[in-house]
Amino acid sequence: MSDLQSLFTDCLNETLIRVILSNPSSKDGVIKICARPMLKNKSLLFQIEEYTKTQVFHKNLTAGDAGSYLTGKLSSDTSSQTASFKNALVETKSFTANVLVSKKGTITIKKKVNASAKQPKISLSHNRKKKYILEEGIPVPFLIDLGVMTQNGNIVNAHYDKFRQINRFLEYIEDILPSLPTDRELRILDFGCGKSYLTFAIYYYLKVLKGYPVRITGLDLKEDVIRHCNELAVKYGYDKLEFLCGDIAYYDGCSQVDMVVTLHACDTATDYALAKAVGWGAKVILSVPCCQHELNKQMKNDLLSPVLHYGILKERMAALITDGLRAQILEANGYRTQILEFIDMAHTPKNLLIRAVYNGHCADNKAQINELLAAFDINPTLYRLLCKKIILSQNNIIFLLCCTAHKKPIPKAKA
């Protein structure tokens, strides 16, 4: 214990770069802790970040309190004899230390002196500037033409939320890259692409920044929007990007996919997109639903009737049940599914993203799904579309879907 206390006594000063506590004993609470130095009101403090699966909590401590806090997280609990965390990385300007905690609570510290003449620069700012995938100050042609950036790369204040949303979405793309093939061209189709902020962003990120071989087709009902997007694609020299008029429910220009993304697809258009994604054998699905009206018209429940009596509460409950069922139906079809916050509620109420990665393990949840359907007397579109098990193919293409719910003939995509 004294060695651990001495370690934090030596490092908790302005020379500290960071401390990371990992490998928690329990996966249900805080799963990672980070600490860094900061100046606040001219006083040196240490910002502690506690990460759960869905949230991050912050607190600022003095050196003494931070040392006691970190030591306690790596020390054995008196009742369970188990430390909260089993690993720690301590980085300073002068040394790096790795802390290992055994099952019996034995602490081992391996310390290495930093022999490099070049010292890392440490930011002591209280509010550090977030580093985005598409960085501020670096002009991106499509963001300039779409009005998000100025010619010198500054973000237009009125569109800063859109800039954050684009970068947030690219972070989700970055997370699922290991699930996509790297030995062939990735095929992307974007339904209901609209002005195609994210379509252009995905092409720019995958093709221009990352060098992936991709072909993207955008789909929307508005001919003027499609024409403008095609003009921009030609202007930028994006020869693997094209836009067509059409509707997800009636699109038959492909047979298989790698990834499907539905962005603000209205009501049951999301269901058709998800069903096609499963049918195409999509490796990854990213869906931001919108306007979940279908179940709002169907829902009945005697026990909850006092709550469902109020329109706004019924509407919100219908939206949550709709997306929860969508996630569970995807689980039943072999996907590991999460529901995540896409962007803060302050920016848009349509802030949930369904992320599903195919792993071939079909959840045994059909009985629970049927019980929920019976409890609310509902029959959602996605349930009807995927009521039978779909056999996925090994040959896949990648598609980005942002769909609409109106009928319109769809031309074939380029080969």
Side-chain angles (χ1 to χ4, degrees), residues 337-361:
T337 308
Q338 299 169 289
I339 296 183
L340 307 168
E341 187 177 66
F342 179 39
I343 195 167
D344 295 340
M345 282 291 290
H347 301 108
T348 172
K350 306 298 182 181
N351 73 324
L352 297 183
L353 180 140
I354 301 173
R355 179 167 68 184
V357 178
Y358 183 72
N359 61 10
H361 301 299

Side-chain angles (χ1 to χ4, degrees), residues 4 33 49 70 93 98 104 110 116 126 134 141 154 164 178 213 237 243 272 302 309 334-335 338 351 364 370 392 397:
L4 189 60
I33 295 175
E49 297 176 313
L70 295 171
K93 286 184 176 182
N98 286 285
K104 295 182 179 180
K110 298 181 179 180
S116 174
H126 179 209
L134 302 182
N154 292 330
R164 291 181 63 251
F243 297 88
Y272 285 104
D302 291 339
H309 172 75
Y335 287 85
Q338 299 169 289
N351 73 324
D364 185 17
N370 287 329
L392 301 178
I397 308 171

Side-chain angles (χ1 to χ4, degrees), residues 24-73:
S25 298
S26 173
K27 306 295 183 182
D28 295 331
V30 177
I31 58 176
K32 184 175 74 170
I33 295 175
C34 297
R36 72 172 183 93
M38 54 170 281
L39 283 176
K40 188 174 183 180
N41 298 327
K42 297 183 179 180
S43 297
L44 181 65
L45 299 175
F46 294 86
Q47 185 176 81
I48 307 295
E49 297 176 313
E50 298 179 330
Y51 291 80
T52 68
K53 291 181 179 179
T54 58
Q55 294 176 293
V56 181
F57 299 95
H58 298 84
K59 54 186 173 183
N60 302 324
L61 303 177
T62 63
D65 289 341
S68 299
Y69 170 84
L70 295 171
T71 300
K73 293 298 181 181

Side-chain angles (χ1 to χ4, degrees), residues 153-308:
N154 292 330
I155 308 303
V156 177
N157 287 335
H159 295 295
Y160 202 89
D161 289 346
K162 178 63 68 176
F163 176 74
R164 291 181 63 251
Q165 185 185 54
I166 291 171
N167 274 284
R168 181 61 170 158
F169 184 75
L170 291 182
E171 290 173 3
Y172 286 122
I173 296 293
E174 188 174 50
D175 288 343
I176 55 81
L177 285 181
S179 301
L180 300 175
T182 58
D183 58 346
R184 59 175 172 78
E185 181 177 82
L186 300 178
R187 190 74 167 84
I188 305 174
L189 178 60
D190 178 350
F191 284 96
C193 54
K195 292 184 178 180
S196 301
Y197 292 92
L198 296 178
T199 319
F200 281 106
I202 291 176
Y203 187 96
Y204 181 83
Y205 173 63
L206 290 177
K207 181 72 173 179
V208 179
L209 296 184
K210 304 291 288 188
Y212 278 71
V214 298
R215 178 179 291 275
I216 303 179
T217 300
L219 194 70
D220 197 273
L221 292 174
K222 300 177 181 178
E223 294 183 3
D224 57 334
V225 170
I226 291 297
R227 181 170 56 254
H228 180 63
C229 290
N230 275 321
E231 290 171 352
L232 290 179
V234 172
K235 175 182 177 180
Y236 308 142
Y238 294 172
D239 58 339
K240 297 289 187 176
L241 176 61
E242 65 173 357
F243 297 88
L244 306 172
C245 287
D247 177 357
I248 174 60
Y250 302 93
Y251 182 77
D252 61 358
C254 67
S255 58
Q256 295 155 335
V257 302
D258 284 324
M259 182 174 68
V260 171
V261 180
T262 72
L263 300 169
H264 298 126
C266 187
D267 202 15
T268 58
T270 292
D271 300 304
Y272 285 104
L274 295 178
K276 281 188 174 289
V278 175
W280 282 328
K283 293 294 187 183
V284 175
I285 300 173
L286 300 175
S287 175
V288 179
C290 183
C291 306
Q292 300 95 324
H293 296 311
E294 182 183 35
L295 298 194
N296 190 29
K297 300 174 183 177
Q298 300 178 9
M299 285 176 57
K300 300 174 185 176
N301 184 282
D302 291 339
L303 179 63
L304 293 176
S305 59
V307 175
L308 300 179

